[in-house]
Amino acid sequence: MIEEEYVRLIFGLKLKQLRSEKNISLFGLAKITGLSKSYLNEIEKGKKYPKRDKIINLAVALEVTYDHLVSLKLDKNLAPIGEILQSRILKEIPFDIFGIKERDLIDIIADAPIKVNAFISTLFEIAKNYSLSKESFFLASLRSYQEAHNNYFESIENDVEKFAKAYSIDLSKKLKLNDLQDILVEEYGYTINNDELVEHKELTNLRSIFVAKTKILLVSSEADDSQRLFIYAKEIAYNFLNITDRLYTFSWIKFDGFDQVLNNFIASYFAGALLIPRKKLVKELKLFFESSILDPIVFQTLISEFTDSPETFYQRLTNILPKDFNLKNLFFLRFNYKPESNDFQLTKELHITNLQEPHANENNEHYCRRWVSIKTLNEIATSKNNHLFEAQISSYQDTHNEYLVLASATKDPFRNGYYRSIGLGILISSHSQSKINFLKDTTIKKREVGVTCESCAIQNCKERAAEPRKLNRKERFAKTDSVVQSLMEKYS
């Protein structure tokens, strides 16, 4: 907030607090001071700041000193609001992408400061308990933004069409590396260096670095063609869309603000839409969904028609299925796994329509080992295959919702000794069954699943990795309550 706005709001909050403490209405204060009720209301909302003579008048009416009234120090019960307003946190929160103006929040704070203070303090306590970093907050904001738009952005799809037309790119054919490299070099003046990154052991997890000043793109010599295509497509997006506030590494290692996070998403979306064109994908998916059986080989062949990266393909499905098939009850999960540690890390998730299963947890609980995403990870670690695909109908024990889950596991393209799985879940309903014929395929394996072992009530689960402590606690409380009720009845 600018200093003037901050001073106005703090003064208004103090005035309202003092007036409330003395049980004086706006009408009453107006009568005492000779100031109009509407003027006092605007002061309390932080829209106006009175002149010195009026402040003295208000101080006398409220029986406080002039210095106390103009001080920027708030009483203890409003102090957190003062700290928040004085910090830059309101500037860092991406309100605009949700159609919220900062002025709206200030009005809310001014209207009910005590309640807002309690609410904000609660949020900070939750964030502290879950070790929520600024990066985590920004990524959560981005996910919410994607979910609010069903992860489909018409403007970016149109930009891809415009780019293809401008540069004579045939979107009906699979793109070649030289198609994009030539555009970067000849049109945007890039120099591509394939040797530098491998000279630095600290950069083994990076596939590219862009040096903006000299337009040099450092690409790892270990990057395969599908990774290079995606890197080149993202760089084209930054240039074609005139995005300057951007990230300079792939994968990202840090960002300075939310705009960089959002712009990274826009460039990635553009790249995915360029490599896997919407019209062609929709046509192929319609044919695939018409089949009465789910053939794993056919699905893997479908992926390879567009890309060698299952993750890029699955992510593209989260754009296309809600828009072109009206399949909006989806989830997308990406797991990383290192066999030596036996630790399954959920590193990316998206829930279209905000369904809460399955979802990440911040309590180091064990994700359900019955999930097909985890099953394929276990299998690929001992397999000679580069890509393992499996499908499963997962019935969630708590809600009884059923999802068709498609999962692909591969070696992690960025870290040696690690593996990665991508899972896409589609809620089974009468609508999805009308769109996808093979959802009635009885040969697809069906399993009852939970979310985490600690919260799961499935009996005699052989895959259980931890005791169901939440369930056990709930049962203990239920037994305690039962005894309490019997005693109440006995002595009533």
Side-chain angles (χ1 to χ4, degrees), residues 11 15 25-43 49-59 61-62 69:
F11 185 90
L15 180 63
S25 68
L26 266 178
F27 179 87
L29 186 59
K31 193 171 181 180
I32 297 170
T33 60
L35 302 174
S36 72
K37 180 181 173 183
S38 61
Y39 179 64
L40 290 171
N41 186 49
E42 287 189 311
I43 292 175
Y49 192 87
K51 292 182 179 180
R52 178 181 173 82
D53 61 328
K54 291 183 174 62
I55 296 175
I56 293 173
N57 194 358
L58 288 167
L62 296 168
L69 197 53

Side-chain angles (χ1 to χ4, degrees), residues 327-429:
L327 296 171
K328 296 178 181 177
N329 294 313
L330 305 175
F331 66 75
F332 171 93
L333 304 177
R334 182 181 71 197
F335 279 96
N336 281 15
Y337 172 57
K338 188 176 183 180
E340 288 82 357
S341 62
N342 198 32
D343 182 27
F344 297 91
Q345 294 184 335
L346 181 51
T347 55
K348 195 167 189 178
E349 66 174 325
L350 184 69
H351 297 263
I352 309 298
T353 67
N354 284 313
L355 292 174
Q356 295 302 305
E357 55 198 20
H359 54 80
N361 76 85
E362 301 293 337
N363 295 320
N364 296 318
E365 294 183 0
H366 297 76
Y367 295 107
C368 179
R369 289 346 192 207
R370 295 184 172 204
W371 288 354
V372 67
S373 296
I374 290 180
K375 182 175 182 292
T376 54
L377 273 179
N378 271 321
E379 291 175 354
I380 197 160
T382 57
S383 171
K384 295 181 180 179
N385 294 327
N386 294 322
H387 176 195
L388 278 182
F389 168 78
E390 193 166 334
Q392 174 179 297
I393 293 177
S394 293
S395 177
Y396 279 82
Q397 188 262 340
D398 286 335
T399 64
H400 305 294
N401 285 332
E402 290 188 342
Y403 291 82
L404 170 70
V405 185
L406 309 175
S408 287
T410 63
K411 287 184 177 179
D412 191 312
F414 302 112
R415 294 190 290 179
N416 291 329
Y418 284 79
Y419 298 86
R420 173 179 290 189
S421 75
I422 310 298
L424 178 75
I426 304 172
L427 182 69
I428 297 178
S429 64

Side-chain angles (χ1 to χ4, degrees), residues 145-192:
Y145 176 64
Q146 291 175 255
E147 291 162 1
H149 291 82
N150 292 321
N151 204 32
Y152 179 81
F153 296 86
E154 189 77 40
S155 61
I156 307 177
E157 300 281 347
N158 291 338
D159 285 332
V160 169
E161 295 276 351
K162 291 175 186 176
F163 169 78
K165 184 177 180 180
Y167 289 91
S168 301
I169 300 290
D170 186 352
L171 293 178
S172 67
K173 296 179 180 178
K174 192 173 183 179
L175 286 177
K176 297 178 181 178
L177 206 55
N178 287 339
D179 295 337
L180 303 187
Q181 182 171 305
D182 290 345
I183 293 171
L184 283 177
V185 173
E186 296 178 22
E187 183 71 9
Y188 298 121
Y190 274 48
T191 299
I192 298 175

Side-chain angles (χ1 to χ4, degrees), residues 13-268:
L13 289 173
K14 292 190 76 169
L15 180 63
K16 185 172 184 177
Q17 184 182 34
L18 288 168
R19 180 176 62 78
S20 299
E21 286 175 356
K22 296 191 176 294
N23 200 26
I24 302 174
S25 68
L26 266 178
F27 179 87
L29 186 59
K31 193 171 181 180
I32 297 170
T33 60
L35 302 174
S36 72
K37 180 181 173 183
S38 61
Y39 179 64
L40 290 171
N41 186 49
E42 287 189 311
I43 292 175
E44 289 192 355
K45 287 184 177 294
K47 294 178 180 179
K48 289 190 176 179
Y49 192 87
K51 292 182 179 180
R52 178 181 173 82
D53 61 328
K54 291 183 174 62
I55 296 175
I56 293 173
N57 194 358
L58 288 167
V60 171
L62 296 168
E63 300 177 335
V64 296
T65 65
Y66 174 91
D67 289 342
H68 176 77
L69 197 53
V70 298
S71 167
L72 296 180
K73 187 176 180 180
L74 288 166
D75 289 346
K76 184 178 179 182
N77 59 346
L78 287 179
I81 282 184
E83 293 172 8
I84 290 163
L85 294 174
Q86 206 167 19
S87 73
R88 289 190 53 81
I89 192 167
L90 289 182
K91 291 297 184 188
E92 293 182 351
I93 297 174
F95 295 117
D96 55 322
I97 68 169
F98 300 106
I100 300 172
K101 295 180 180 179
E102 189 177 327
R103 182 72 249 174
D104 299 334
L105 291 173
I106 292 172
D107 286 344
I108 293 170
I109 292 171
D111 283 338
I114 302 296
K115 292 179 181 178
V116 172
N117 180 66
F119 176 68
I120 291 174
S121 298
T122 300
L123 290 181
F124 277 115
E125 283 299 315
I126 292 171
K128 213 163 39 175
N129 290 337
Y130 284 92
S131 302
L132 185 64
S133 64
K134 185 171 80 170
E135 288 81 3
S136 299
F137 178 82
F138 283 163
L139 291 173
S141 298
L142 176 62
R143 282 199 304 273
S144 297
Y145 176 64
Q146 291 175 255
E147 291 162 1
H149 291 82
N150 292 321
N151 204 32
Y152 179 81
F153 296 86
E154 189 77 40
S155 61
I156 307 177
E157 300 281 347
N158 291 338
D159 285 332
V160 169
E161 295 276 351
K162 291 175 186 176
F163 169 78
K165 184 177 180 180
Y167 289 91
S168 301
I169 300 290
D170 186 352
L171 293 178
S172 67
K173 296 179 180 178
K174 192 173 183 179
L175 286 177
K176 297 178 181 178
L177 206 55
N178 287 339
D179 295 337
L180 303 187
Q181 182 171 305
D182 290 345
I183 293 171
L184 283 177
V185 173
E186 296 178 22
E187 183 71 9
Y188 298 121
Y190 274 48
T191 299
I192 298 175
N193 180 320
N194 296 307
D195 303 316
E196 181 68 30
L197 289 190
V198 293
E199 299 297 323
H200 306 272
K201 62 180 182 180
E202 298 87 355
L203 305 180
T204 54
N205 291 338
L206 296 183
R207 286 299 175 262
S208 70
I209 300 175
F210 177 62
V211 184
K213 188 175 181 179
T214 55
K215 288 195 171 183
I216 294 176
L217 181 63
L218 306 175
V219 183
S220 171
S221 59
E222 296 180 0
D224 58 30
D225 283 355
S226 65
Q227 292 166 3
R228 284 178 177 271
L229 273 168
F230 194 79
I231 292 167
Y232 292 170
K234 278 188 71 174
E235 290 300 322
I236 285 172
Y238 284 129
N239 285 273
F240 186 73
L241 301 177
N242 297 312
I243 296 172
T244 55
D245 191 6
R246 53 162 292 180
L247 303 177
Y248 294 98
T249 63
F250 180 69
S251 300
W252 65 267
I253 52 176
K254 67 174 184 176
F255 43 76
D256 298 323
F258 181 76
D259 283 346
Q260 291 184 352
V261 177
L262 181 60
N263 289 336
N264 180 68
F265 164 72
I266 291 170
S268 297

